[in-house]
Amino acid sequence: MARIKDEDIDLLRDKADLVEVVSSYTPLKKASGSTFKGLCPFHSEKTPSFTVDTGKNLWHCFGCGKGGNIYQFVQEIETLPFAEAVEWVARRFGYELRYEDQRPGEAHMQGLKRRILEANREAAEFFHKTLLDSPDAEPARRYLKSRSFGHEVAERWKLGWAPGRDALWKHLLAKGFKQDELVKADLVRVSDKDGSIYDVFRQRIIFPTWSLQDDVVAFGARAMGDQQPKYLNTSETPVFSKSRFMYGLNRAKSSLGRGNDAVIVEGYTDVIALHEVGIAEAVATNGTALGQSHFELLKRFTNRAVLMFDADAAGAGAAEKGWGLHQKVGLEVLVAPVPIDRDPADLAQEGGADAIGKVLETAKPLREFMIRRTLARLPLDTPEARADAVRAVAQVLVSDPDSISQHEYVFFAAREIGVEPDVVQRELAERAPRGRVATGGSAEPDAQRRLPGHVKVEREALQLLLTRAAEVAIVAADVQESDFTSPVRRELFTRALEAAQGAGRSGAQMADSLTPEALTLLTELSVGEIDLDGEPLAQRAHELFVRLRVFSLERELKGRRGVLQELNPLKEPERHDALFTELVGLEARRRDLLKMLQGENQDV
Ligand SMILES: [Zn+2]
């Protein structure tokens, strides 16, 4: 992947429909003017603070502070590096990108990734063809058929058979792949003993994993004989990390996008079986424990996930991880345990979508599930037994970071045990870490109101410069970078002034090359209408930029006065005089500026 031409990056940014792209992740409603609002896909919220400004081609979330143009949105939501986000947008809008030559290091890494994806695609084809045609694969075909995975299913999911020893290695070598590429793709390994090369997957049924962009990024492989482990997966490669992908998500995402809950199952065959009976929201991890990163991945598409595990696995594995997820990730986790000794694939095979639907109907919030599960193992028939139960439940509840839901579950648990809620509450209070503050549902304080005066002025001046450049460029010309007190505001001012004077790039354009802090500030200040309180823009701008200068002069004066006090006029008379004259000059300028402000205020 060579470097994309800057010109194309600009053209595509202007052409691509930001609202259309954002809408496929979170519904947007038209707000005022050129803005649209919706619930933020990056943090959990109940009132929309995610704003898209079509006039400026920028978005900003006033809740979590993220913002940018269409590329940053795609980067963020699809976890893609910049160039890949541009390519993603280009694919989406059928735009043909042009490339130019790039630096060798970059080219090498991009080249390697591309080669690995090509090798994976070729390997998937090879495995698949082998499954369909090879006599050697007969037991695998029989096994898959026994799970209702016939020819068509195998084709839809590109299931395969890895014959092994070194069949894939030879095949890919003949196709022109290099040993180094295939080792890095984790498709072949080099024997420690004799340096010979062998396939990673041998005598196994193959389940390819796709990225959200429909590239084959990894393989899961099930043993047919007594081989250990039963499931073997591609390890980390330049194109694959177990924490960043989920099996089936590329197919599930459109259903999730329509508002359905994700259904998390344990195995590849469960995912396939559920999709095949029409439950298109099923996903699984790629042979790794469910972790926060998986929930974050799902959160991009849905607000709820149902764990369809057997009760032990759900209780043991997912429970601690599920705690606090609702707050941390904004994803609500429910548990719908499958009966012992049955997996979702069995249920789907025996009873179709109805059987799965029945289990999903039993889904309970994770906390409730944990409480019930804890209590199910305890007798509640004596005061002593109930006391034990209260202690056990408190143990479960104490780690809940959401004090509001915790409070509700105290009542639920008390009712289940048959004691007063106070009893559970007291036990909980004794265990709670000291100094813990209730955090549930607290609204973000309006940080803006508490900003110091000069910061407010700097921000407002920047805002005008960014959004009403043509009208304020002239008054802003007197202002300097050094009039701003933070590096972020300085950075943004310099870029905004260039743009206002016609030499730089618009807000949406400059977004690609700002530091993350400046980007956040850019979108925060640019997105949406600005409220001038009925004041004419020219007057407001003039006042702001004068105030900005005044604040800056005052800082300068303070600095000089400090130096002057340290100076001994007898020892350094010339320096002292010069500094004194300077001070007088600064004072005079400050007075003039203040007069200007007063004059304006009297005119109103
Ligand atoms: Zn947000």
Side-chain angles (χ1 to χ4, degrees), residues 319-475:
E320 314 93 77
K321 301 207 177 81
W323 286 119
L325 273 177
H326 193 204
Q327 279 218 326
K328 256 189 278 176
V329 183
L331 189 82
E332 193 186 347
V333 181
L334 288 82
V335 182
V338 288
I340 308 269
D341 293 335
R342 305 286 319 120
D343 58 32
D346 297 330
L347 297 176
Q349 190 179 352
E350 292 154 10
D354 286 349
I356 301 292
K358 268 194 196 114
V359 174
L360 288 176
E361 274 168 26
T362 68
K364 299 264 184 320
L366 180 64
R367 295 171 175 88
E368 182 182 332
F369 170 79
M370 288 301 291
I371 295 168
R372 284 184 191 278
R373 197 173 142 71
T374 303
L375 295 181
R377 283 180 296 214
L378 299 169
L380 300 170
D381 50 353
T382 63
E384 287 77 6
R386 285 193 286 275
D388 283 345
V390 168
R391 279 188 281 273
V393 159
Q395 190 62 40
V396 172
L397 283 176
V398 72
S399 55
D400 186 349
D402 184 339
S403 58
I404 297 176
S405 70
Q406 189 188 57
H407 188 69
E408 283 203 25
Y409 284 113
V410 164
F411 276 79
F412 169 76
R415 208 167 47 234
E416 293 288 306
I417 301 171
V419 295
E420 291 299 316
D422 276 1
V423 178
V424 180
Q425 190 64 62
R426 264 202 308 277
E427 182 62 29
L428 199 55
E430 265 174 42
R431 283 160 195 263
R434 233 170 263 274
R436 203 181 111 177
V437 201
T439 52
S442 70
E444 271 292 297
D446 189 3
Q448 207 118 320
R449 240 178 287 143
R450 296 189 316 230
L451 291 175
H454 71 278
V455 176
K456 272 193 207 165
V457 167
E458 288 173 33
R459 287 167 54 100
E460 234 187 290
L462 263 181
Q463 184 170 47
L464 287 185
L465 196 57
L466 285 165
T467 56
R468 310 289 289 260
E471 293 132 292
V472 305
I474 295 168
V475 271

Side-chain angles (χ1 to χ4, degrees), residues 39-45 49-50 59-66:
L39 294 174
C40 179
F42 303 117
H43 85 282
S44 168
E45 61 176 5
S49 46
F50 185 89
W59 58 276
H60 182 80
C61 172
F62 290 92
C64 65
K66 287 196 162 91

